[in-house]
Amino acid sequence: MKTKQDAPLLSDLLPWSVPPLRPGRAWVTGPDPAVLRRRWDALAAADDAAERARLLCPSRARTLHTAVGQLPGQATATGSLAGTPGRCPEPVRFAHGGFDLRWLLPDHRLIDAARPELWRVADARQLFVVEWTAQPRETDPPLLCSAVLPDGRSPAGRGGRIRPLHKRPGGHEPNLAPGLTALLAERLGRSVAPADVLAWVMAAAQSAAGGCAVPLPVDTGLWERGVALGERLVWLQTRGAHDRGGPAGARPRLPGGRRPYVRAALPPRGLPAACAYDADEEALLLGAGRIAPVPAGAWAYHADGVRVLEAWCAARSATAGADAQEPLAALGPDGWPPEWTTELLELVTVLALLAEAEPERAALRQEAAQGPGIGVAELRAAGVLPVPARARRPASVLDHQEEGPGGQFALL
């Protein structure tokens, strides 16, 4: 399926974007927050500078002597790690590949490129779109949406662009091309909110040369169907954190009789070596553990050419840290925490429901791509394009003071 040549690119509709986070060291992230605390404690307890440096794994951007400011919203020490590191920073959630919710030590002294501009606008009202290009499979989603800070990488580890919906905390100043919503409202004959544009993007965008193309329809019925579908996709991908597209305050669930359950519990000690799928029994097998029913669509769901469930389980397998080059990265959990089972059941549910929505999304994408719409020429004539340079830059966020290196207040 091809999009019409005059469909605008997402980079022009949501113009402000940020490159992926770059931790610089693997040990500062992981699926289990308790393990991250143990790794920090091992670093802090190192007797001499040489041992602490070995555990830190210095990079060009971060060494024992690097002094940097706090990440916005994170109360961490700002002196160099060569001195007293301070208390362990409380691990925070972040999204890897859109589907894997992992944990991160939010200490700026540990992270090569943390993208502070994203931390300043990350709150309960924010949504982040992660865009990848050149999808290996046409059926793979070109975009994923997250309610928590994403690392901007696909399940395959490939980097993309992070596009927040809002440029300021509290859901203020939409990250949209100036004049876009007004033009859409005029052509569609109805009001258009920034969240409507995001929902349409999630439903209709597809990979194209130079990025993701987003056909903009002039048919009100098609727009409304696309927004409704996009809201549901966002609701599913954010695990119900988004307040539109599903029952208010509810998390995604499959109908009774189709909900996955633990049929055989995983042993409390040790981790499974790998996962497998029994298609006849619709069962996910993790060592001695067994979860069923797991719909075939959930097991087959791919993103960026990677089977999502398989990648999620591999990150929590007995071999996950076997090839780690960093001493602290080799330090992993002793067993399977019960929280992982809860997360796995929810992920199976989300993937199953996304797989069920895929035929509708594919049909809508084709209809939007082939039908009449607002093209680049009309966007230029209306003054929406080209996007002014200021729209591609972050807003100045001065809502709170941030501690800079050595306890000084940072100037923003």
Side-chain angles (χ1 to χ4, degrees), residues 115-137:
R115 315 302 179 196
E117 61 271 37
L118 289 178
W119 295 74
R120 291 191 185 102
V121 300
D123 61 14
R125 298 289 301 277
Q126 185 66 272
L127 290 171
F128 299 96
V129 176
V130 180
E131 176 188 15
W132 309 310
T133 56
Q135 293 295 302
R137 294 157 35 108

Side-chain angles (χ1 to χ4, degrees), residues 132-141 154 156 158 207 302-306:
W132 309 310
T133 56
Q135 293 295 302
R137 294 157 35 108
E138 186 174 315
T139 56
D140 288 4
S154 74
R158 195 155 55 95
S207 296
H302 281 66
D304 197 27
V306 173

Side-chain angles (χ1 to χ4, degrees), residues 7-400:
L9 294 177
L10 181 63
S11 57
D12 285 330
L13 303 185
L14 276 72
W16 174 44
S17 69
V18 179
L21 276 64
R22 191 176 74 248
R25 46 200 50 79
W27 68 265
V28 300
T29 71
D32 185 2
V35 168
L36 298 186
R37 295 187 184 98
R38 288 167 53 198
R39 292 172 178 174
W40 173 272
D41 291 343
L43 176 73
D47 292 333
D48 55 62
E51 175 62 10
R52 188 173 291 176
R54 185 183 75 87
L55 295 176
L56 173 65
C57 292
S59 63
R60 291 178 62 184
R62 295 292 184 266
T63 71
L64 284 182
H65 304 285
T66 302
V68 290
Q70 292 173 341
L71 287 174
Q74 305 300 315
T76 56
T78 56
S80 74
L81 291 169
T84 302
R87 297 176 57 185
C88 177
E90 189 60 29
V92 298
R93 281 288 208 185
F94 79 100
H96 170 68
F99 294 103
D100 193 345
L101 297 181
R102 299 184 186 178
W103 297 88
L104 167 71
L105 289 174
D107 193 312
H108 211 177
R109 298 170 297 176
L110 304 177
I111 306 171
D112 281 9
R115 315 302 179 196
E117 61 271 37
L118 289 178
W119 295 74
R120 291 191 185 102
V121 300
D123 61 14
R125 298 289 301 277
Q126 185 66 272
L127 290 171
F128 299 96
V129 176
V130 180
E131 176 188 15
W132 309 310
T133 56
Q135 293 295 302
R137 294 157 35 108
E138 186 174 315
T139 56
D140 288 4
L143 306 171
L144 286 174
C145 189
S146 174
V148 300
L149 188 70
D151 66 359
R153 299 195 175 277
S154 74
R158 195 155 55 95
R161 302 293 298 187
I162 305 170
R163 302 185 184 277
L165 177 58
H166 304 289
K167 300 181 74 172
R168 296 183 185 275
H172 299 299
E173 192 173 338
N175 177 27
L176 297 175
L180 176 61
T181 54
L183 176 62
L184 286 170
E186 178 184 348
R187 296 289 267 119
L188 294 168
R190 54 155 294 166
S191 62
V192 175
D196 297 333
V197 177
L198 174 65
W200 173 262
V201 164
M202 296 303 298
Q206 63 185 77
S207 296
C212 283
V214 185
L216 299 175
V218 293
D219 181 274
T220 305
L222 176 60
W223 171 266
E224 291 176 347
R225 284 191 286 118
V227 169
L229 173 59
E231 287 177 342
R232 179 160 178 79
L233 296 177
V234 172
W235 181 73
L236 289 171
Q237 291 183 10
T238 61
R239 314 296 206 274
H242 187 48
D243 59 1
R244 299 167 66 180
R251 300 180 77 85
R253 298 183 71 182
L254 286 163
R258 297 183 54 218
R259 293 174 190 161
Y261 289 95
V262 177
R263 307 300 179 178
L266 278 82
R269 306 293 295 179
L271 295 173
C275 70
Y277 183 66
D278 185 333
D280 293 334
E281 298 292 331
E282 287 195 321
L284 183 66
L285 311 176
L286 299 102
R290 182 184 182 89
I291 293 175
V294 173
W299 173 250
Y301 197 91
H302 281 66
D304 197 27
V306 173
R307 194 189 304 274
V308 171
L309 263 181
E310 196 169 28
W312 189 95
C313 294
R316 293 156 178 80
S317 69
T319 59
D323 57 350
Q325 301 299 309
E326 305 170 9
L328 291 180
L331 181 62
D334 298 325
W336 183 277
E339 293 82 6
W340 288 3
T341 301
T342 302
E343 293 175 21
L344 178 55
L345 293 174
E346 186 171 64
L347 179 59
V348 168
T349 298
V350 166
L351 296 179
L353 293 172
L354 285 173
E356 290 179 0
E358 182 55 34
E360 182 182 358
R361 187 177 76 95
L364 185 131
R365 288 168 62 198
Q366 183 171 10
E367 188 176 350
Q370 297 178 352
I374 303 171
V376 170
E378 183 173 349
L379 291 170
R380 289 184 177 276
V384 176
L385 296 181
V387 177
R390 68 179 184 277
R392 299 191 184 277
R393 296 192 293 264
S396 296
V397 178
L398 303 174
D399 294 347
H400 59 277

